[in-house]
Amino acid sequence: MIASFAMLGMALSAIVSSPAPLMLRVVDDQGLPVARAEVTFVDAAGAIDREQTASDGRVEPRAGFSPAFARIREAGYVALRIDLRAHPPANVVLVHAITVIGSVRVATGTQHNLHELPLAASVLDRAALADAPATTTDGLLASLPGVDRTRSNSAFTNYGQLRVSFDGAGNDRGLVLVDGVPAQDAFGGQVDWAAYPAESIVRAELLRGAGSALYGSGAIGGALDLQTRGPATAANAPAGAFVWLGAGGYGGQDAAVFAQSSFGSRLNASVWTSTTKLAYYDFPASYYSPVNGIAHSQSDATQVRLRYALGAGTLSASTLLATDAQNEGRPNYSFGRSLEQYALAYARDGEHTSLNLNAYQRDTSVLNINDSYPVHPGVLQYVQTVPTWENGLSASVVQHAGASEFEVRIDHRAVHGLSNQVGQD
């Protein structure tokens, strides 16, 4: 009987003294969970157990494994080693790595450091963009390695010349995405840079070289991904706003307002509106005529974006309205554009699978008035109108399996456009 009580006491002692299952939660330096971080548990004998954090940042070793310490790695963060033998922390904080070369998502569909990519890519982050003196987005991108820029600034350039080329591949062989939506007019191939003011761009990533594996035959020269200012991603983020005012030579005037706020724990919203003006003699001496004068250009853009937390994913909606007009400095020589775009997006990053869906509808109109230079400068030659209507959708699924990734992407665009040209007769 005494022996039975002794055995029972030993069993109870073992139960009480057995450690609780180890559970870590990996977060970044803002307290947000870090999903799919690589965690390598190592026991006292040197055996290892590799795991990945879940979507809420939690991770635990496999059953029966008793780790002595853990190594935690994730692209864009400083690698960390923690001792688990004394007092394992409940939360493990990863600090964002400040790297000169940066990381991009455009090359593979998920974020990777440029040092580790098997593909050539380049990036302009917030700091680089803030220091850039350019007043137009195409001028801003001139400092992004791999972008070929051979035209004058888009404020005084005919829309037919506003195509893109990457790494010398030539026009119409590269893809431009802005917030996941194709930016090139599918009817003419040009980009309406005035609809995406330089001050609204917060990040530019370029896949240099063939991007057709991910983005189709339209990206055989590369793929450029631009991200614009939008709502905060955190729940109950504080409201904020800024006003941009600028003036300078060549009649330059800039004004922009950006504001964002949260509406409860799920809905965040932002609005951006801007106007830009320029005025100068834009013709070289070889194009001079007696009726030449100062050229004027004005562009306006307004964007409203909503971001709603929907379960484990995020639903986004946006509206973009833009117009610009260019009077080139001679009678009957002018150009104007308008753009109206609506877009929806859904994104979800799971433990092993990432899903992205995008859909958009865009209507544009171009008015091109040309004079009879050089025979009769200032005399009307023709009026051209180019209305277009297009819509499209894209879907991508990325499957994560350790260090490997597999992505399936589908893109579809439907385009309708007209080109009407009427002369003096």
Side-chain angles (χ1 to χ4, degrees):
M1 189 72 175
I2 295 175
S4 298
F5 275 113
M7 292 178 62
L8 179 61
M10 291 173 62
L12 289 174
S13 175
I15 293 174
V16 171
S17 62
S18 62
L22 176 67
M23 175 71 74
L24 301 178
R25 183 170 182 265
V26 181
V27 299
D28 63 13
D29 41 17
Q30 295 181 341
L32 299 176
V34 179
R36 298 195 306 276
E38 179 185 289
V39 180
T40 303
F41 293 104
V42 184
D43 68 8
I48 63 174
D49 171 34
R50 288 192 176 93
E51 305 288 346
Q52 271 193 339
T53 57
S55 57
D56 61 357
R58 298 183 185 276
V59 65
E60 61 183 344
R62 68 172 182 263
F65 192 88
S66 299
F69 62 91
R71 295 189 297 264
I72 305 173
R73 296 178 68 251
E74 173 61 1
Y77 296 88
V78 177
L80 188 64
R81 182 184 186 277
I82 57 173
D83 192 335
L84 302 174
R85 289 169 293 189
H87 300 287
N91 287 338
V92 179
V93 179
L94 291 184
V95 178
H96 281 87
I98 302 176
T99 58
V100 175
I101 198 166
S103 63
V104 299
R105 187 184 182 95
V106 66
T108 62
T110 56
Q111 204 75 27
H112 284 282
N113 194 290
L114 290 180
H115 287 291
E116 302 170 350
L117 276 178
L119 306 166
S122 53
V123 61
L124 294 177
D125 58 14
R126 282 179 181 264
L129 291 169
D131 292 338
T135 58
T136 60
T137 298
D138 58 321
L140 190 74
L141 295 173
S143 59
L144 181 62
V147 173
D148 306 327
R149 181 169 182 260
T150 58
R151 300 294 182 183
S152 60
N153 82 72
S154 55
F156 285 111
T157 301
N158 184 283
Y159 80 103
Q161 299 177 349
L162 296 178
R163 290 172 167 83
V164 296
S165 172
F166 303 134
D167 267 3
N171 289 339
D172 302 326
R173 293 185 175 93
L175 173 68
V176 181
L177 299 171
V178 180
D179 298 322
V181 175
Q184 283 127 316
D185 183 282
F187 187 69
Q190 71 279 354
V191 179
D192 186 357
W193 294 114
Y196 316 106
E199 298 88 352
S200 71
I201 306 298
V202 295
R203 190 172 180 84
E205 299 180 359
L206 175 63
L207 169 58
R208 302 168 60 182
S212 52
L214 278 182
Y215 301 104
S217 59
I220 60 174
L224 173 65
D225 180 61
L226 300 179
Q227 299 172 26
T228 65
R229 298 185 188 276
T233 56
N236 298 309
F242 77 80
V243 177
W244 173 285
L245 296 173
Y250 302 107
Q253 299 178 39
D254 290 293
V257 177
F258 173 78
Q260 70 88 24
S261 182
S262 295
F263 300 89
S265 61
R266 292 180 175 270
L267 179 63
N268 294 341
S270 69
V271 60
W272 164 275
T273 186
S274 66
T275 183
T276 302
K277 297 180 181 179
L278 286 171
Y280 58 86
Y281 289 98
D282 67 341
F283 291 121
S286 57
Y287 282 81
Y288 176 80
S289 77
V291 295
N292 280 10
I294 295 179
H296 296 268
S297 171
Q298 177 172 340
S299 59
D300 304 280
T302 299
Q303 185 182 54
V304 178
R305 297 178 63 181
L306 302 175
R307 181 178 284 122
Y308 183 77
L310 188 63
T314 302
L315 181 65
S316 303
S318 67
T319 299
L320 174 62
L321 305 174
T323 60
D324 71 286
Q326 305 171 19
N327 185 321
E328 304 291 347
R330 280 201 310 262
N332 291 313
Y333 191 18
S334 61
F335 169 70
R337 252 179 324 212
S338 66
L339 179 149
E340 182 177 333
Q341 176 180 290
Y342 304 93
L344 285 173
Y346 176 77
R348 177 173 179 173
D349 284 329
E351 184 174 355
H352 300 293
T353 305
S354 297
L355 172 66
N356 287 276
L357 303 172
N358 287 276
Y360 75 97
Q361 176 183 324
R362 178 165 60 225
D363 298 339
T364 64
S365 180
V366 172
L367 175 64
N368 190 25
I369 302 176
N370 207 9
D371 70 339
S372 301
Y373 179 88
V375 179
H376 301 293
V379 177
L380 179 67
Q381 183 181 26
Y382 65 81
V383 175
Q384 181 187 31
T385 56
V386 187
T388 65
W389 306 267
E390 67 175 287
N391 57 72
L393 58 88
S394 66
S396 68
V397 179
V398 183
Q399 185 72 29
H400 311 278
S404 301
E405 293 179 351
F406 178 75
E407 177 169 1
V408 175
R409 182 180 176 95
I410 298 173
D411 289 274
H412 171 74
R413 299 177 77 177
V415 186
H416 178 66
L418 299 172
S419 181
N420 300 318
Q421 186 168 308
V422 179
Q424 296 184 61
D425 55 357

